[in-house]
Amino acid sequence: MKPTRTGAVMVGDVVTARCDTPFKDVVRLLEEHRISGLPVIDEDRKVIGVISESDLVLRQVREPGSTGVRARCRRLLSGRARHTAAKGVARTARGVMTAPAVTVRADTTVTEAARLMTEHRVKRLPVVDEEGTLVGIVTRRDLLQVFLRTDDEIRRDVQREVLLNTLWLAPHTVETAVRNGVVTLTGRLERRSEIRVAVAMTRRLDGVVDVVDHLTYRIDDKPEQPAGLAVHGVADDWLRSL
């Protein structure tokens, strides 16, 4: 199976800023290109930071004479938040940007990229090559493209990639139903360990939202593990990585 890589959904023409790009020019770039953030690069196109609308709006919070919501926000800022808000007085991209930037490689899977976005609470990720040079950018919307696959396409992938090519199962051994990206697997497999493989591999397919496991087994091949001892081996490590 070959899950979709970030390079397949990224945008190659990236709007960028340099360290010395004036604050107002950064705002103008976002407005002209109708984007909500951009990477900051050096003279070698290495990504050194990222600027988002949330970075820029800090200036509004700190403007003298602010009232209402702005004033309340200013009063709530304390400790680390006050330190972060200091970016609001910066005059160039260097002072406004968030650094270091969270980046991904083009060969990173869409699933891994989405996990990074969630962990770091960002809406976009600069895509870099082996040397850290900017080659593209990927947004949440780009990653969501894989979920536009039809239920029929997902069902065919489960049957071909998981059941036939991976588990070598005969046709109709497992009934595969897909509705709105949710895959339901029903049937009886030979060994208990095959269920874990089937569910994990199905979950990795592009467009799968979730997997409902209605599988049973004939033989329980789960090894009995003596207390205090761990079982090590290539097969066990592979299964644990699923």
Side-chain angles (χ1 to χ4, degrees), residues 169-181:
L169 295 177
H172 311 301
T173 300
V174 174
E175 179 184 348
T176 306
V178 185
R179 182 176 177 82
N180 297 325

Side-chain angles (χ1 to χ4, degrees), residues 71-188:
R72 289 196 297 272
C73 289
R74 191 168 60 250
R75 288 195 298 270
L76 290 173
L77 294 174
S78 60
R80 184 177 180 183
R82 259 202 311 269
H83 176 72
T84 302
K87 293 191 297 185
V89 299
R91 297 182 179 180
T92 63
R94 180 186 292 277
V96 178
M97 71 182 185
T98 296
V102 181
T103 63
V104 292
R105 295 268 294 274
D107 58 357
T108 301
T109 66
V110 167
T111 300
E112 292 169 337
R115 186 178 298 114
L116 269 178
M117 282 190 182
T118 301
E119 290 176 354
H120 294 276
R121 298 181 180 179
V122 295
K123 298 180 179 179
R124 68 198 58 77
L125 293 171
V127 184
V128 298
D129 62 14
E130 297 84 354
E131 298 179 351
T133 303
L134 182 69
V135 296
I137 196 165
V138 64
T139 66
R140 288 180 180 178
R141 178 170 295 183
D142 297 326
L143 298 182
L144 288 174
Q145 288 182 22
V146 298
F147 292 103
L148 297 179
R149 303 185 72 223
T150 67
D151 289 344
D152 286 340
E153 289 174 325
I154 296 172
R155 182 173 180 272
R156 284 195 295 270
D157 272 2
V158 173
Q159 293 176 328
R160 180 179 64 250
E161 303 293 349
V162 178
L163 304 181
L164 180 60
N165 294 346
T166 301
L167 294 175
W168 296 359
L169 295 177
H172 311 301
T173 300
V174 174
E175 179 184 348
T176 306
V178 185
R179 182 176 177 82
N180 297 325
V182 178
V183 180
T184 301
L185 301 175
T186 307
R188 189 183 189 191

